[in-house]
Amino acid sequence: MTDHIKKLEILNNQERGEYIKEVLDTYGVPFYVQKVRGFFRTGENIIVDYPSEPFKKETKYILLGAHHNKFNSPGANDNASGVVVLISFLKKLQAERPSNLNIRVVFFAMEDSGGIMAGSRKYVKEYGIDNIDYFYNVDTVGMGDILLLAPVKESTINEDWIQQIYKSGKKIGMPVEARKTLSFLPGFSDHIPFRWKGLHRVCTLLVIPNEDKNFKYVFNYLILLWYWMTGLGNPPKITKHYHNKYDRSEFIEEKTLQNVSEILWGSIVSDS
């Protein structure tokens, strides 16, 4: 998976989308696109429906997503890491062809980078949320030790769609934690338009280093802003590789990518 990230990090946003389509073609995975318009920019959501393409209007499905754009960085962890995990998932789906599952994977355009969640907002506007069983948004999962599910509503934390992730993580030895909010990452995330629309069974999957586990400063945004402006301070390790030149493939951990891929597969397919 790291090999794909090395290729993605040197491409611009349009080229990243084309690369994803080329890889899907290579693996024999059919896809279609949804045009997206942001602020003075355009892009594409790349959509894969399993086992058929595209789904009928009434089909109930599990949704997986990852934004493919980058912003002010090479974009290795944010979010080529999420992209390659979902490509790995699709490759395995195509090879093993499990039955009794409807899964839609969306590579979203313009989460930031001039869009403010333009891809996910366009998706919700066109397709709605009524047919989504649950949605895992995979974002910045290439370095660290702990898989966070956030934000997770208290009313849903004991439901199967969350507990499946815990069970799958335990099986491979990767700690999983559910949180109501992420206390140290600013910005936007593609789960948010789904929440706005009323989908409660949705969260972002994010991996952090163990040393970042207890970062809960009240003024965390000011701390991060100061660090990005001056290079001074001691923010969480993961944010030192976020929206800057240090978000490079050399810091990505192949084992972490494999763990997240295995957890997704185990929670969705193996336990179905």
Side-chain angles (χ1 to χ4, degrees), residues 11 62 66 75 87 92 98 109 117 144 149 161 173 182 198 200 209 232 247 252 259 261 269 271-272:
L11 303 177
I62 297 165
I87 287 175
K92 196 168 183 179
M117 305 172 293
L149 313 178
W161 69 288
L182 283 177
H200 298 305
L232 302 175
D247 185 6
I252 297 298
N259 284 344
S261 182
V269 180
D271 294 333
S272 61

Side-chain angles (χ1 to χ4, degrees), residues 145-162:
D145 315 288
I146 303 170
L147 178 63
L148 297 185
L149 313 178
V152 176
K153 283 186 169 290
E154 192 69 37
S155 60
T156 64
I157 199 167
N158 291 318
E159 293 180 353
D160 286 346
W161 69 288
I162 293 292

Side-chain angles (χ1 to χ4, degrees), residues 233-251:
N234 188 32
K237 177 182 178 181
I238 193 172
T239 60
K240 295 179 181 180
H241 305 272
Y242 179 73
H243 286 188
N244 60 37
K245 65 182 180 180
Y246 299 108
D247 185 6
R248 299 194 301 263
S249 58
E250 65 191 87
F251 300 109

